[in-house]
Amino acid sequence: MLDAVVVGSGPNGLAAAITLARAGRSVLVVEANDTVGGGVRSAELTLPGFVHDICSAIHPLAKASPCFTELPLAEHGLEFVEPPAPLAHPLGDGTAVVLERSVDETAASLGVDADGYRRLMTPLVEGLDRLQPFLLGYRPIARRPISTARFGLRALRSAVGFANRFEGERAKALFAGLAAHSIQDLNRSPTASFGLVLALFGHAHGWPLVRGGSQQLADALASYLRSLGGRIELGLRVASTDELPKARVTVLDATPRQLIRLAGHRLTGRYLRALRRYRYGPGVFKVDWALDGPVPWTAEGCARAATIHIGGTLTEIAASESAVARGEVAEHPFVLVAQQSRFDETRAPAGRHTLWAYCHVPHASSEDMAERIEAQVERFAPGFRELIVGRSAWGPAEIERHNENYVGGDINGGVQDLRQLYARPVARLNPYSTSVDGLYICSSSTPPGGGVHGMCGYWAARSALKRFS
Ligand SMILES: Cc1cc2nc3c(=O)[nH]c(=O)nc-3n(C[C@H](O)[C@H](O)[C@H](O)COP(=O)(O)OP(=O)(O)OC[C@H]3O[C@@H](n4cnc5c(N)ncnc54)[C@H](O)[C@@H]3O)c2cc1C
C-alpha cells in the first residue's frame, strides 16, 4: 500500500507530494492534464517559437516561499529572472510610477508622499522575517503579536481608505494597482492587505519570472519529486476517490466543488453543508500576444519592469473593480500585464516578443474583453496594436476547461475576503483535514490562499504526516 496519493500537480499538489516524500513516504501524484504544473504551465499559445505562460507569470510568492526556498530547485533547472524593477504603473501624464527594489528609490518618485511611503514600508521590510510566518502560514497567530497586530490593523482596511492616506495621485495609483490583485471591491476590507503584502514582497524579494517559462518551475518541482522516489501519472482525471490506489493518506489539490464531486459520498453532512457554503469569486479574461517588437510604452519606466499595471488612477481602478464586484464588466478594465520576453530571450524568436495580460470579469462571464484590454494597452503604448502578429484569448470558460480548479474563471480557488481568508474551505482548527479520516485538501482553497507559493500543499502535508508518527 502507498503512503500517499496526491490528486493534482499544481504547485500545492507538488509541494505536498515533495513534503511527504522528503519525510520518507511513498507518493503517487495523479494529474488530469498531460503536463505537470496546474497554474504553472507554459505553451505555444499563439505561434511556433512563442512561449506563453498559460496562467501564472510573475513569481514574488514562489521566490518568498519558505517551502520552495529550502528545495534544491536550481539543480533541477529553475532559474528566476529578476527585472531591474518589480513593477511599473503608467499614468496619463506620460510618466510611470515604478516600484523599485529599494524603498528609498521608490519613495523618491512619489513627490509629496515620499516620506509617508518611506515611513510605512521601511519598518515592514525590516520586520519581514517576523511577519512572513503570519503571511504564509495558516492561522492568524504570530510569534511577535505586537508588530503583527500593527501590520494587521493597516491590512484590515479597505484599499481605497488606505490609499487615501497618501496625498498625491502617484502613490494612490500605485497602491490601488497592487491591491487590485485581491479581485474584490477595493472599498472593502481587507483589500489593503494585498497592496501591502505585494509591495513588501516587491521590495524584499523582487517580482521575478522564470527563465524559459513558468513551466520550468513546475518541471523543477516534478523532477525533484521524482529524484526522491515520487511517481507522477499524467492524463488521468480522477472522478471519485474510490478509483484511487489504496493509500494511507489522500491529498486533493482541488477546490471544494471538486472535493464534493470526488468524495461527497464519504463526507459527513455537516462538513458537506459547510463546503456548499464556500464562495467562489470573479473570473479573469486573459489575452496572450505574439508581437513583432517590444511594446512601445510612452513612459520610460515601463521598460524596466516585467509587470505593468494598467488602469490609471486610484479612482479609475477602484471603479473597474467595483463594477466587477457588482457583476458588470468594466468598460476601462484594470489590466495586469507581463512582458516576459524583454528579460528572457528564450520566450520568442529573435527580435520578437510575447505579452501576457488579464483583467477581472464577473464570475463565469462570457463577455469578450480582448478589445477593451487592447485599448487599455494602446492608451499607454500607442502603436502597440500594429505589432500584433498572433493572439490567444481565453475567458472564464476556457480557463476552467484548461484547469477545473478555476471555477467560473476564479484563479484564487475562492473569494479571499475576511470570512474566507483563513477559514478556507471551512472554519476548522485544521483547515486541511476533512471529515474523512486520512483525506486532506491542499489547494489554494486552503490558507494561505491563491498564488504560486506551495504553502497550502506544504501545510497540508505537514498535517497529514502526523498520521505516520
Ligand atoms: C490567468 C492566471 C494568472 C495567474 N497569475 C499568477 C501570477 O502571476 N503569480 C501567481 O503567484 N499566481 C498566479 N495565478 C494563480 C496561481 O496560478 C494559482 O493560485 C496556483 O496555481 C494554485 O495552485 P494549486 O496547486 O492550488 O492549483 P492549480 O495550480 O490550479 O493546480 C490544480 C491541479 O489539479 C489538477 N486536478 C484538479 N482536479 C483533478 C482531478 N479530478 N483529477 C486529476 N487532476 C486534477 C488540475 O488539472 C491542476 O493541474 C494565476 C492564475 C491564472 C489562471
Side-chain angles (χ1 to χ4, degrees):
M1 181 163 74
L2 279 163
D3 287 328
V5 174
V6 177
V7 177
S9 70
N12 286 313
L14 291 172
I18 287 170
T19 307
L20 288 156
R22 272 161 68 96
R25 298 292 144 199
S26 56
V27 185
L28 169 68
V29 177
V30 184
E31 165 57 51
N33 277 294
D34 292 333
T35 48
V36 290
V40 189
R41 286 188 282 162
S42 311
E44 292 181 338
L45 294 176
T46 55
L47 297 172
F50 290 83
V51 178
H52 301 278
D53 293 329
I54 304 174
C55 300
S56 63
I58 303 296
H59 294 289
L61 300 171
K63 179 104 183 288
S65 163
C67 170
F68 291 164
T69 43
E70 70 174 34
L71 308 180
L73 297 178
E75 289 167 26
H76 292 265
L78 173 66
E79 189 187 335
F80 283 119
V81 176
E82 197 66 69
L87 163 75
H89 184 131
L91 294 168
D93 64 1
T95 69
V97 196
V98 179
L99 183 85
E100 307 279 357
R101 287 296 301 270
S102 146
V103 172
D104 286 342
E105 283 174 34
T106 307
S109 73
L110 295 178
V112 281
D113 292 306
D115 279 349
Y117 189 82
R118 207 176 290 115
R119 275 199 307 275
L120 170 71
M121 292 312 298
T122 304
L124 291 179
V125 174
E126 285 170 358
L128 183 58
D129 280 354
R130 295 191 296 274
L131 270 180
Q132 202 145 283
F134 170 70
L135 302 176
L136 292 172
Y138 63 94
R139 278 190 282 219
I141 292 174
R143 260 177 264 137
R144 303 283 184 110
I146 292 177
S147 50
T148 309
R150 212 176 292 139
F151 171 81
L153 285 175
R154 291 178 175 136
L156 276 174
R157 297 184 61 185
S158 77
V160 170
F162 190 86
N164 277 328
R165 69 190 272 137
F166 298 117
E167 283 176 45
E169 271 316 321
R170 299 178 74 77
K172 287 181 201 231
L174 175 67
F175 193 77
L178 289 161
H181 284 252
S182 62
I183 321 187
Q184 291 170 54
D185 184 339
L186 299 186
N187 293 293
R188 301 202 54 166
S189 157
T191 45
S193 63
F194 291 81
L196 284 169
V197 171
L198 286 174
L200 184 51
F201 282 9
H203 291 306
H205 301 290
W207 284 24
L209 49 115
V210 175
R211 183 172 303 283
S214 292
Q215 182 73 56
Q216 300 302 316
L217 167 57
D219 289 351
L221 289 165
S223 162
Y224 178 53
L225 174 64
R226 289 188 178 109
S227 78
L228 297 171
R231 285 190 299 127
I232 303 177
E233 282 191 24
L234 298 170
L236 237 160
R237 184 175 181 271
V238 180
S240 161
T241 52
D242 297 347
E243 295 171 3
L244 295 169
K246 285 253 164 305
R248 291 174 69 187
V249 302
T250 302
V251 186
L252 304 180
D253 187 3
T255 79
R257 188 171 298 183
Q258 295 138 281
L259 171 55
I260 294 171
R261 203 166 54 225
L262 290 165
H265 57 294
R266 297 165 64 201
L267 302 171
T268 61
R270 191 164 171 221
Y271 186 73
L272 207 50
R273 278 193 298 281
L275 282 182
R276 288 202 173 110
R277 284 196 294 271
Y278 189 75
R279 289 164 300 126
Y280 291 92
V284 303
F285 189 101
K286 177 166 184 272
V287 188
D288 288 279
W289 296 274
L291 301 177
D292 205 13
V295 180
W297 302 109
T298 305
E300 213 182 302
C302 292
R304 298 179 47 244
T307 308
I308 314 291
H309 283 168
I310 289 189
T313 61
L314 164 67
T315 310
E316 288 173 279
I317 295 170
S320 158
E321 297 305 297
S322 292
V324 174
R326 287 195 305 273
E328 297 163 16
V329 296
E331 215 37 59
H332 304 287
F334 170 65
V335 182
L336 298 96
V337 177
Q339 44 180 6
Q340 298 93 321
S341 59
R342 269 200 193 242
F343 307 97
D344 175 7
E345 71 292 346
T346 68
R347 303 294 187 106
R352 300 190 133 192
H353 283 270
T354 59
L355 196 72
W356 167 112
Y358 70 86
C359 72
H360 304 143
V361 291
H363 187 85
S365 163
S366 56
E367 188 86 20
D368 186 343
M369 297 297 287
E371 177 54 38
R372 279 169 267 211
I373 290 177
E374 283 181 5
Q376 285 286 66
V377 180
E378 183 79 23
R379 179 178 157 200
F380 295 100
F384 156 71
R385 280 201 179 104
E386 285 150 40
L387 296 171
I388 299 172
V389 292
R391 177 193 290 106
S392 151
W394 286 16
E398 288 81 18
I399 288 171
E400 185 173 345
R401 205 170 304 130
H402 164 79
N403 182 341
E404 60 186 280
N405 279 29
Y406 302 138
V407 178
D410 177 346
I411 67 173
N412 281 332
V415 179
Q416 300 199 133
D417 60 5
L418 215 46
R419 257 171 59 206
Q420 281 191 176
L421 206 53
Y422 288 99
R424 58 197 287 122
V426 303
R428 208 172 155 83
L429 217 50
N430 176 355
Y432 310 99
S433 67
T434 68
S435 62
V436 176
D437 216 24
L439 180 66
Y440 296 84
I441 176 168
C442 78
S443 72
S444 57
S445 304
T446 63
V452 177
H453 43 65
M455 293 309 292
C456 310
Y458 173 80
W459 292 119
R462 289 272 300 261
S463 133
L465 279 170
K466 291 193 183 128
R467 290 179 66 82
F468 296 97
S469 52

